[in-house]
Structures are given as C-alpha cells and as structure tokens.
Amino acid sequence: MTSDAPAAADKRPRKADGDRLSKLARHKHIISQLTAAPTLRASELAAVLGVSGETIRRDLMELQEQKLINRTYGGASRPFALEPALTDRKAIMIAEREAMAAVIADLILPNEVLMLGAGATTFHIARRLASRAHDITVITHDYAIAAALAVNPSIRVLCCPGRYHPNEGYVFGTQTIANINSYEANRAIVSATGISARGANDADDEAGAIYGAMAKRAAEAILVADHSKFDQRALTVFAHWTDIDRLVTDRQPEGALATALRAAGTEIIVAQL
C-alpha cells in the first residue's frame, strides 16, 4: 500500500548533484557546526552526513591535525584560541582597532584615573589618548603603552612592578597584582584573546589575572575586542559579563554571545569604521 503523504525531508547535507558530501565538504560542515555549538557528537555527525562512524573518526583526526578542532571522547569541540606574537597582532585589524580606540578616547574625561591592560588593541588606545586626552592618570603594566602615553606631558603614567615578559613587553606576577590592588580607578580598559557567552578569556593565564584584577578595581570596566574574537575560547576566563560594564567592538554580536551580553546588562558600543 502506498501513501500520498510526502516523504520525510532528508536533512543530511548534499552536493548539488545529489551525491553525498565529499571529504572537503564534510570538513567544512563540521567546522561550520562548531561555530554554532561548542561541542559535537561523532555519532550525530555520522547520521547527519550519512557516513560511517569510522569515516567521521578519520575526519575528526584530520581536522585535529590541522588544529581546526579538538577531539573529545565521542566527538569534537572548538579549539582554544592561541595568541599570535605581538608584532603579528599589531599588523592586523588596524582600521578596526583605530576605530575602537577613537570610541574609547571620546569617553575619557579630564582628571580621570585609568587602568590600561597590555595588548595590540590597547596600544592603539594609548596612542589615541596621547594625542587627545589631557590631565589624566594611567596605570599600566605594559612598557610600550607607557612610552606611547609619555609623549603627552599632561598624562601621568604609573608603571606597575613585576616580572618582565620579553616577548610581550609587559610585567606580570604577584607584585603586579598587588600593585594594581593598591589603586582605585574610574575606568579599566582591557582586551582579550577571545570572548564568548561565558565572558572574556585570555590565552595567557598571567595576563588574564592582571586584566581581571584591573576590572575589579575600577568603577567601570571596559572590554575592547574586535569581531575576530567573537565565540573564541582560550585558557582562562578572567571576567564574566556581569563584571564588564561596556564592550567596545566593531560589529554587533549575535547568537549566544549577544544573549549573554543582554542578560548581564553589558552595554555594547559598535565603532564605526
């Protein structure tokens, strides 16, 4: 007996000619799904893609070798974000960083005390402050930021003590944290390796500890992160969204990240390029 009811839709991705997806297309599908969800189960991937469990295991092994995913027991997860070298970071996203730096500079008032964390984005902020701000005090643990601010004689720069990081040009450690905790500030301005629904994270736990301490010592905590940081996880979460008053970025967040920001009451400021 036949039925006039339409057949159930096949939700498995297919190529235009109706054949099952090639290995390259399967890999692209897995990566795109991990953009929407932090973890995937191998059995579900095999069912959706219409291939065997062994094929999916080989796919996941190859993607892990390319450092595009992390294999987990029974599936895959997003890889942790790694921080490129400082010189490499300073050479990318320049227009976005300049636009965000301009937004920050417009917020700062005379006689304010700021805490400014290390990073390529905050270096742009320091240069913008040096050209526009006056009669402010800046507490920082980054020597390049201190030097950029020092060209403006009306800016008082207070440098934190600590152990010097030769590759990043900042100091860190217990002395640095203790020094930060001895101050109060109007605003703390920090960047991050990545941001997600959980909050702001960093690939360096020592740097993350400093950014978290700064956020706690200021009346207002501002996180600056361009869109490439969205939905990126790293080693340590140094601040949850309830700890961050404002996010300055270059694109409007979407999905779970946007939901988390709304729930925490974090203001989003999108810089115009």
Side-chain angles (χ1 to χ4, degrees):
M1 180 177 177
T2 61
S3 172
D4 294 331
D10 187 351
K11 295 182 180 179
R12 292 174 294 188
R14 295 173 181 270
K15 295 194 294 185
D17 61 6
D19 294 334
R20 294 299 176 198
L21 291 176
S22 65
K23 180 171 75 171
L24 177 60
R26 291 197 308 272
H27 288 189
K28 288 182 177 179
H29 176 79
I30 292 168
I31 296 300
S32 69
Q33 290 302 299
L34 278 176
T35 302
T39 61
L40 297 173
R41 293 185 61 83
S43 58
E44 293 174 357
L45 283 171
V48 168
L49 295 173
V51 295
S52 67
E54 182 60 32
T55 296
I56 285 296
R57 283 191 290 274
R58 286 197 300 268
D59 286 342
L60 297 181
M61 287 179 63
E62 290 180 18
L63 289 170
Q64 179 173 256
E65 289 172 359
Q66 299 172 47
K67 298 182 179 180
L68 296 174
I69 68 164
N70 287 337
R71 289 189 67 198
T72 63
Y73 181 77
S77 67
R78 295 175 190 157
F80 279 1
L82 298 176
E83 195 83 277
L86 181 61
T87 53
D88 294 335
R89 301 201 305 274
K90 285 185 175 180
I92 61 174
M93 308 294 285
I94 293 174
E96 291 83 354
R97 286 173 170 150
E98 286 294 331
M100 293 186 293
V103 168
I104 295 293
D106 287 340
L107 296 174
I108 307 307
L109 302 174
N111 301 314
E112 286 196 345
V113 177
L114 311 179
M115 289 184 175
L116 193 53
T121 302
T122 47
F123 177 73
H124 282 269
I125 293 170
R127 294 200 305 181
R128 183 59 66 105
L129 289 173
S131 68
R132 297 179 56 179
H134 58 90
D135 300 323
I136 63 172
T137 297
V138 180
I139 302 158
T140 186
H141 65 120
D142 185 300
Y143 286 175
I145 284 175
L149 292 165
V151 302
N152 184 333
S154 78
I155 298 178
R156 180 170 61 165
V157 182
L158 303 179
C159 294
C160 299
R163 181 180 175 184
Y164 184 69
H165 193 307
N167 296 327
E168 293 290 320
Y170 62 71
V171 295
F172 64 95
T174 55
Q175 283 183 299
T176 312
I177 299 294
N179 187 248
I180 289 167
N181 287 337
S182 71
Y183 292 115
E184 298 284 348
N186 297 100
R187 307 175 203 263
I189 304 164
V190 298
S191 58
T193 299
I195 60 176
S196 68
R198 287 192 64 199
N201 57 62
D202 204 89
D204 187 328
D205 59 332
E206 296 281 6
I210 293 168
Y211 306 154
M214 286 182 168
K216 289 180 173 64
R217 299 304 299 176
E220 179 181 72
I222 302 174
L223 180 70
V224 185
D226 64 71
H227 69 275
S228 69
K229 309 292 183 69
F230 291 0
D231 300 313
Q232 294 294 315
R233 298 189 305 157
L235 176 63
T236 180
V237 175
F238 64 81
H240 298 287
W241 290 119
T242 51
D243 303 316
I244 302 297
D245 299 287
R246 288 175 170 170
L247 168 66
V248 176
T249 185
D250 63 318
R251 290 187 190 175
Q252 189 70 37
E254 298 178 349
L257 175 57
T259 300
L261 289 163
R262 285 195 300 269
T266 303
E267 180 185 358
I268 302 169
I269 302 176
V270 179
Q272 300 301 312
L273 298 180

